[in-house]
Amino acid sequence: MSTSQKSFYLTTPIYYVNDSPHIGTAYTTVAGDVLTRWHRQKGESVWFLTGTDEHGQKVLSAAEAHGVAPQDWCDRLVEDSWKPVWKSLNIANDDFIRTTEPRHMERVQRFLSRLKDQGHIYSGKYEGPYCIGCEEFKLPGDLLEGDLCPIHSKPCEIVSEENWFFKLSAFVPALLEHYKNNPQACEPASARNEVISFLEGDVQDLSISRSTFDWGIPVPWDTKQVIYVWFDALLNYATAVGLDDEAGSVGGKKFAQTWPADVHLVGKDILRFHAVIWPAMLMAGGLPLAKKVFAHGWLMVGGEKMSKSKANKIAPAEITDHFGVDAFRYYFLRAIPFGQDGSFSWEDMAARYTSELANDFGNLASRLIAMIEKYCDGAIPEVAHDSTLESALSETVSKADAAMCALDFQGGITSIMEFCKRVNGYVTEKEPWVVAKDESRKGELDAILYNTAESIRALAILLHPVMPETTEILWESLGASSGCGSLAEQKISDVATWGQLKQGSKVTKGAVLFPRLEEKL
Ligand code: MSP
């Protein structure tokens, strides 16, 4: 791959390390992983960044509550919890940024000094409500009765400080123009409308420093103040890839290759930071804006947003221990339209696991392998063609690719699973177990089994970004690597080319892809 090729650069939010990951934070990270794996499978150069947001009052309070110094607290949580959980979910991020790393802190200070020199920063007095849960200065109109934060249902503290301010309001006309000319820069449309109506309101300048605690990056020219945690955090997307480094340096080259980001995935609660403040910061710094901010909905449990601060937190392991990692990765993206809220229920997950994964997909694969073992001595039969399956596959690949690239994970996965149903229908209709009884129909039997195997080859590739582990087992049991190469190197654009499984390749009965749930209870 040429080093000058612009990478498809995707980021997740960086997560507060006040606690360990839950299924809400895993939802964003898995979505990012699936999308970047899809783009890799398209043969593109990809850069996938995730990380942790370690400064600010919220993390400081968590450390204090545990009687640990904040840096030690962050080190422990990142190493013992965040990184291992992402590994257990098969997240293939290319980098992991921590906001306490020197590479980040130095670049943030340099960028801030540049903005100050260019006249975007001034000193002033801030007075108003602040929600520590959101780490956000709130407008009185944002709050519920009793000055409660609508997200955390907790009272805000009243902050009164001499701070440094960023001239956010100066960028409002340019931001409105940006969204008018580039509607795809903020999706879905409901999120864009929310941003536009916010911009059409009374946008205030932003306090970007705090003086009442010291857990943060010092303001370079006024070290009694630390940089506001969101100003620090948003910059991670650019500091991680070499913000403002010399053009010919390692960082400079990386920046040229990755920036602007293609997609910032965020939850809808942090949309304004990403679609108002962040692009204004980039405009102030004279940098290109990210191509897209996509705001997804919330995972709800018992009718409420699942979160660390409410008592309804579910750790990913509670689900993966029961259903497996791949079913976890599959379920949320398949069941909830990306961009809308969705409720999690064990019953719905169990129902989809059984009907879609165990029955439609897993059984199809195990029946095929068993029939090739029984009727063909375990070897893939001669290449055959079925025009209906072939055209259905071509259509599936185009539909799935368009949907996945548009972040319509549900649409993409549904079209792949519809093809899977179609292949099941083909097997049911052709009744290979009946054809096998008549030796004179051996050619017909071989063709049915080849067409089914070839369809399953395609399913393994198309589902690989969603379920990397299971599809790898399937690929091996199909004997596909000997003739086709590794699963990871299969390209989406070639999936629909029929006849790739090689005659004579040996199939093997692998592990059951999706064991019956009763056996796991
Ligand atoms: N640290 C900030 C982000 C800084 S990005 C420059 C932050 N961290 S967070 O840990 O509180 O949340 C991170 C992400 O997790 C947000 O996108 C948020 O929407 C998402 N989720 C938290 N709970 C969620 C659900 N219940 N459902 C879906 N996503 C959820 O905000």
Side-chain angles (χ1 to χ4, degrees):
M1 198 152 303
S2 123
T3 47
S4 59
Q5 190 191 346
K6 161 83 174 78
S7 298
F8 175 80
Y9 179 29
L10 181 138
T11 67
T12 71
I14 49 171
Y15 304 103
Y16 289 126
V17 285
N18 57 332
D19 203 354
S20 46
H22 55 64
I23 61 170
T25 43
Y27 178 54
T28 326
T29 313
V30 167
D33 190 58
V34 169
L35 188 61
T36 44
R37 282 176 184 267
W38 186 271
H39 279 268
R40 281 193 203 105
Q41 204 95 47
K42 280 165 72 78
E44 294 172 19
S45 155
V46 166
W47 197 252
F48 175 26
L49 176 72
T50 190
T52 42
D53 190 354
E54 305 187 4
H55 292 128
Q57 275 173 285
K58 179 153 144 160
V59 172
L60 179 62
S61 312
E64 281 170 347
H66 289 82
V68 184
Q71 187 67 62
D72 293 343
W73 166 259
C74 294
D75 292 349
R76 193 195 293 173
L77 239 78
V78 168
E79 293 308 324
D80 296 351
S81 183
W82 287 87
K83 286 185 175 173
V85 171
W86 293 160
K87 192 157 185 268
S88 76
L89 294 177
N90 253 318
I91 305 299
N93 51 301
D94 296 290
D95 193 5
F96 188 104
I97 180 111
R98 298 182 54 186
T99 54
T100 52
E101 285 176 81
R103 63 168 174 156
H104 173 74
M105 301 190 20
E106 286 162 15
R107 291 184 175 113
V108 167
Q109 287 190 320
R110 186 170 67 190
F111 184 78
L112 193 67
S113 298
R114 184 156 82 78
L115 293 201
K116 168 115 185 326
D117 294 346
Q118 291 168 346
H120 299 295
I121 289 176
Y122 61 93
S123 75
K125 178 153 174 100
Y126 182 82
E127 210 164 67
Y130 188 88
C131 170
I132 298 178
C134 299
E135 292 281 17
E136 185 176 13
F137 299 99
K138 297 280 184 185
L139 300 172
D142 290 340
L143 302 179
L144 303 176
E145 243 187 67
D147 285 353
L148 297 187
C149 162
I151 294 177
H152 293 90
S153 317
K154 286 189 181 151
C156 292
E157 69 174 31
I158 299 298
V159 168
S160 170
E161 289 180 36
E162 291 293 334
N163 294 144
W164 292 97
F165 281 75
F166 170 56
K167 287 186 185 168
L168 178 63
S169 58
F171 295 93
V172 168
L175 286 168
L176 281 167
E177 189 65 14
H178 169 62
Y179 290 120
K180 195 171 123 205
N181 296 336
N182 306 284
Q184 79 295 339
C186 183
E187 287 183 339
S190 53
R192 182 168 61 250
N193 293 338
E194 187 193 316
V195 167
I196 290 174
S197 71
F198 176 77
L199 286 168
E200 285 169 346
D202 178 24
V203 177
Q204 303 287 317
D205 288 348
L206 179 72
S207 163
I208 55 152
S209 68
R210 300 294 310 274
S211 61
T212 48
F213 60 94
D214 65 358
W215 181 235
I217 304 176
V219 172
W221 61 88
D222 177 7
T223 50
K224 291 184 303 305
Q225 305 242 356
V226 290
I227 299 171
Y228 168 45
V229 62
W230 268 101
F231 206 86
D232 156 356
L234 286 163
L235 279 164
N236 91 87
Y237 304 131
T239 61
V241 292
L243 172 69
D244 282 347
D245 284 9
E246 296 268 337
S249 68
V250 176
K253 284 189 198 149
K254 186 77 202 161
F255 197 75
Q257 205 187 341
T258 42
W259 200 259
D262 291 80
V263 181
H264 290 314
L265 279 186
V266 300
K268 64 180 187 180
D269 48 328
I270 57 171
L271 174 65
R272 271 190 217 169
F273 294 100
H274 285 83
V276 176
I277 299 175
W278 177 227
M281 288 164 66
L282 289 167
M283 281 176 181
L287 293 164
L289 309 189
K291 294 188 195 154
K292 190 189 298 299
V293 172
F294 194 103
H296 65 70
W298 287 338
L299 297 191
M300 315 286 282
V301 173
E304 279 205 310
K305 179 192 180 209
M306 200 227 31
S307 71
K308 294 174 253 196
S309 54
K310 308 226 166 90
N312 60 2
K313 181 184 140 169
I314 302 175
E318 292 176 53
I319 296 181
T320 56
D321 284 353
H322 187 63
F323 292 101
V325 168
D326 278 355
F328 178 90
R329 294 172 57 102
Y330 173 89
Y331 172 73
F332 292 100
L333 297 178
R334 165 71 184 87
I336 303 167
F338 205 58
Q340 293 177 27
D341 291 349
S343 287
F344 169 72
S345 88
W346 290 91
E347 292 74 18
D348 186 49
M349 181 155 184
R352 279 196 198 276
Y353 177 96
T354 302
S355 76
E356 296 172 18
L357 295 179
N359 292 350
D360 289 353
F361 183 44
N363 269 356
L364 173 69
S366 61
R367 278 159 73 207
L368 181 264
I369 302 288
M371 287 191 285
I372 292 186
E373 284 187 326
K374 187 165 172 196
Y375 305 132
C376 312
D377 288 333
I380 296 283
E382 190 185 339
V383 176
H385 290 272
D386 180 276
S387 59
T388 319
L389 278 182
E390 285 179 50
S391 62
L393 176 60
S394 289
E395 212 181 293
T396 300
V397 175
S398 330
K399 263 196 187 165
D401 189 33
M404 295 302 255
C405 292
L407 285 87
D408 172 11
F409 298 103
Q410 187 183 57
I413 297 172
T414 304
S415 56
I416 299 167
M417 294 313 281
E418 269 163 14
F419 179 69
C420 182
K421 272 193 195 311
R422 187 148 197 161
V423 181
N424 274 302
Y426 172 84
V427 176
T428 310
E429 181 201 315
K430 299 287 178 184
E431 299 183 310
W433 48 91
V434 174
V435 178
K437 290 187 182 138
D438 182 347
E439 267 183 34
S440 69
R441 295 174 74 189
K442 177 73 170 97
E444 206 183 312
L445 175 65
D446 282 355
I448 300 168
L449 297 182
Y450 186 87
N451 289 328
T452 309
E454 190 59 1
S455 303
I456 293 175
R457 169 195 63 79
L459 284 169
I461 302 167
L462 295 172
L463 288 170
H464 187 51
V466 185
M467 299 189 284
E469 221 173 284
T470 316
T471 48
E472 201 67 69
I473 296 172
L474 176 57
W475 194 251
E476 284 320 304
S477 86
L478 265 184
S481 43
S482 61
C484 306
S486 75
L487 180 51
E489 75 195 41
Q490 306 303 306
K491 297 283 168 286
I492 299 291
S493 54
D494 298 335
V495 173
T497 305
W498 201 264
Q500 295 187 48
L501 280 178
K502 295 278 171 300
Q503 178 179 7
S505 300
K506 285 284 181 190
V507 303
T508 40
K509 189 167 176 285
V512 176
L513 298 184
F514 299 98
R516 287 162 62 98
L517 289 176
E518 291 81 22
E519 291 163 19
K520 302 178 96 185
L521 283 170

XYZ file of all heavy atoms in Angstrom, residues 13-16 22 24-25 27-28 53 58 230 233-234 236-237 266-270 274 296-299 305-306 308, ligand 1:
282
model
N -15.120 8.168 20.718
C -14.830 9.132 21.784
C -13.742 8.526 22.670
O -13.585 7.292 22.702
C -16.145 9.212 22.570
C -17.188 8.594 21.710
C -16.492 7.626 20.819
N -13.009 9.353 23.363
C -12.100 8.783 24.367
C -12.891 8.750 25.670
O -13.578 9.695 26.028
C -10.778 9.567 24.466
C -11.002 11.074 24.584
C -9.903 9.242 23.248
C -9.732 11.848 24.903
N -12.812 7.616 26.359
C -13.714 7.350 27.473
C -13.130 7.823 28.801
O -11.931 7.678 29.046
C -14.013 5.840 27.521
C -14.573 5.344 26.196
C -13.782 4.624 25.290
C -15.885 5.638 25.820
C -14.281 4.199 24.071
C -16.398 5.215 24.600
C -15.587 4.498 23.728
O -16.091 4.091 22.512
N -14.016 8.350 29.650
C -13.582 8.748 30.987
C -13.175 7.514 31.766
O -13.901 6.507 31.757
C -14.717 9.428 31.754
C -15.062 10.808 31.243
C -16.364 11.125 30.876
C -14.089 11.801 31.153
C -16.690 12.394 30.425
C -14.409 13.071 30.692
C -15.708 13.356 30.329
O -16.021 14.603 29.877
N -18.669 -0.308 29.908
C -19.967 -0.987 30.002
C -20.474 -1.193 28.584
O -19.801 -0.812 27.610
C -20.942 -0.208 30.883
C -21.150 1.228 30.476
N -21.704 1.596 29.279
C -20.857 2.395 31.124
C -21.771 2.916 29.194
N -21.247 3.423 30.307
N -22.629 0.295 26.877
C -22.835 1.534 26.116
C -21.532 1.981 25.457
O -21.509 2.307 24.263
N -20.448 1.969 26.201
C -19.175 2.381 25.614
C -18.676 1.300 24.633
O -18.075 1.614 23.602
C -18.125 2.675 26.714
O -18.199 1.665 27.722
C -18.383 4.002 27.368
N -20.575 -0.418 22.764
C -21.410 -0.275 21.552
C -20.694 0.607 20.524
O -20.535 0.230 19.362
C -22.742 0.347 21.986
C -23.758 0.630 20.915
C -24.176 -0.354 20.030
C -24.351 1.901 20.818
C -25.144 -0.083 19.075
C -25.330 2.177 19.873
C -25.718 1.186 19.002
O -26.686 1.454 18.061
N -20.227 1.777 20.966
C -19.513 2.694 20.056
C -18.234 2.047 19.538
O -17.905 2.157 18.352
C -19.060 3.977 20.807
O -20.006 4.316 21.800
C -18.816 5.105 19.869
N -9.923 9.407 28.294
C -10.001 10.811 28.674
C -9.734 10.838 30.177
O -10.563 10.382 30.961
C -11.428 11.286 28.344
C -11.604 12.787 28.445
O -10.662 13.466 28.877
O -12.695 13.259 28.090
N -14.197 14.798 37.132
C -14.892 13.525 37.276
C -13.905 12.397 37.572
O -14.104 11.596 38.488
C -15.615 13.275 35.944
C -16.372 12.024 35.820
C -17.480 12.282 34.823
C -17.802 11.135 33.936
N -19.153 11.304 33.363
N -12.683 19.186 28.179
C -13.178 18.904 26.823
C -12.266 19.499 25.748
O -12.102 18.911 24.671
C -14.613 19.422 26.652
C -15.621 18.366 26.980
C -16.328 18.233 28.131
C -16.015 17.259 26.138
N -17.141 17.130 28.066
C -16.976 16.516 26.860
C -15.653 16.824 24.858
C -17.579 15.371 26.344
C -16.247 15.692 24.343
C -17.194 14.981 25.086
N -9.550 17.092 25.619
C -9.960 15.783 25.083
C -10.232 15.809 23.583
O -9.803 14.915 22.846
C -11.202 15.298 25.818
N -10.931 16.832 23.119
C -11.276 16.857 21.684
C -10.016 16.849 20.820
O -9.990 16.253 19.731
C -12.124 18.097 21.362
C -13.569 18.025 21.856
C -14.213 19.413 21.889
C -14.399 17.080 20.982
N -7.497 15.169 21.132
C -6.858 13.856 20.993
C -6.894 13.335 19.554
O -5.975 12.660 19.100
C -7.516 12.832 21.932
C -8.672 12.094 21.272
O -8.491 11.072 20.604
N -9.885 12.629 21.398
N -8.007 13.668 18.857
C -8.166 13.137 17.497
C -7.035 13.617 16.582
O -6.686 12.936 15.616
C -9.512 13.590 16.915
C -10.711 13.202 17.754
C -11.698 14.130 18.090
C -10.865 11.886 18.195
C -12.804 13.768 18.846
C -11.970 11.522 18.953
C -12.936 12.467 19.271
O -14.022 12.111 20.023
N -19.759 9.247 17.799
C -20.041 9.766 19.145
C -21.453 9.372 19.563
O -22.308 9.102 18.713
C -19.941 11.318 19.198
C -18.558 11.788 18.808
C -20.999 11.996 18.335
N -21.712 9.373 20.867
C -23.077 9.199 21.345
C -23.786 10.541 21.271
O -23.150 11.598 21.274
N -25.112 10.517 21.205
C -25.848 11.769 20.977
C -25.671 12.774 22.113
O -25.848 13.972 21.906
C -27.329 11.473 20.741
C -28.041 10.865 21.939
C -29.502 10.597 21.620
C -30.228 10.144 22.873
N -31.642 9.866 22.636
N -25.292 12.295 23.312
C -25.109 13.220 24.431
C -23.874 14.096 24.284
O -23.738 15.102 24.971
C -25.033 12.453 25.769
C -24.079 11.267 25.718
O -23.948 10.664 24.642
O -23.457 10.944 26.741
N -22.961 13.722 23.399
C -21.745 14.536 23.267
C -21.638 15.120 21.848
O -20.561 15.425 21.366
C -20.473 13.747 23.665
C -20.307 12.456 22.853
C -20.511 13.403 25.154
C -18.947 11.779 23.086
N -18.767 17.847 19.638
C -18.104 17.404 18.403
C -18.547 18.165 17.156
O -17.805 18.214 16.182
C -18.349 15.907 18.191
C -17.529 15.067 19.118
N -17.903 14.795 20.397
C -16.315 14.471 18.945
C -16.984 14.053 20.985
N -16.004 13.843 20.133
N -24.734 8.379 17.449
C -25.631 7.223 17.620
C -26.488 7.400 18.871
O -26.241 8.303 19.687
C -24.827 5.922 17.675
C -23.913 5.821 18.863
N -24.367 5.657 20.146
C -22.559 5.873 18.946
C -23.343 5.604 20.968
N -22.225 5.751 20.270
N -27.473 6.529 19.004
C -28.399 6.642 20.138
C -27.860 5.947 21.377
O -26.714 5.491 21.416
N -28.690 5.855 22.367
C -28.301 5.244 23.644
C -28.828 3.836 23.771
O -29.933 3.529 23.302
C -28.897 6.047 24.803
C -28.217 7.351 25.028
C -26.963 7.708 24.651
C -28.768 8.484 25.709
N -26.687 8.989 25.059
C -27.781 9.480 25.710
C -30.000 8.746 26.319
C -27.980 10.717 26.295
C -30.194 9.980 26.907
C -29.198 10.959 26.895
N -28.069 3.014 24.443
C -28.594 1.715 24.862
C -29.349 1.966 26.158
O -28.819 2.569 27.093
C -27.474 0.713 25.118
C -26.585 0.325 23.947
C -25.711 -0.859 24.331
C -27.418 -0.020 22.722
N -31.350 5.425 30.114
C -30.011 5.299 29.520
C -29.158 4.470 30.476
O -29.118 4.742 31.672
C -29.384 6.682 29.362
C -27.985 6.621 28.769
C -27.253 7.946 28.880
C -25.857 7.831 28.283
N -24.889 8.720 28.886
N -28.518 3.442 29.907
C -27.647 2.657 30.763
C -26.377 3.458 31.017
O -25.790 3.993 30.077
C -27.307 1.350 30.051
C -26.829 0.304 31.009
S -25.377 -0.496 30.462
C -24.600 0.742 29.583
N -22.900 4.504 33.954
C -22.122 4.214 35.155
C -22.791 4.819 36.380
O -22.788 4.248 37.450
C -20.727 4.848 35.010
C -19.897 4.228 33.918
C -18.590 4.994 33.722
C -18.619 5.796 32.433
N -17.324 6.260 31.974
N -14.801 11.613 27.699
C -15.959 12.008 26.988
C -15.730 11.928 25.490
C -14.591 12.747 24.999
S -14.348 12.577 23.293
C -13.258 13.773 22.886
C -17.135 11.117 27.373
N -16.822 9.937 27.888
S -17.885 8.850 28.421
O -17.076 7.764 28.886
O -18.762 9.439 29.380
O -18.783 8.464 27.224
C -18.227 8.054 26.030
C -19.240 7.610 25.016
O -20.011 6.525 25.498
C -20.211 8.694 24.596
O -20.263 8.709 23.178
C -21.523 8.222 25.137
O -22.584 8.584 24.321
C -21.324 6.720 25.097
N -22.259 6.058 25.978
C -22.309 6.116 27.342
N -23.429 5.451 27.738
C -24.103 4.982 26.666
C -25.249 4.215 26.469
N -26.000 3.799 27.456
N -25.579 3.882 25.199
C -24.788 4.237 24.126
N -23.709 4.961 24.284
C -23.376 5.401 25.541
O -18.259 11.499 27.147
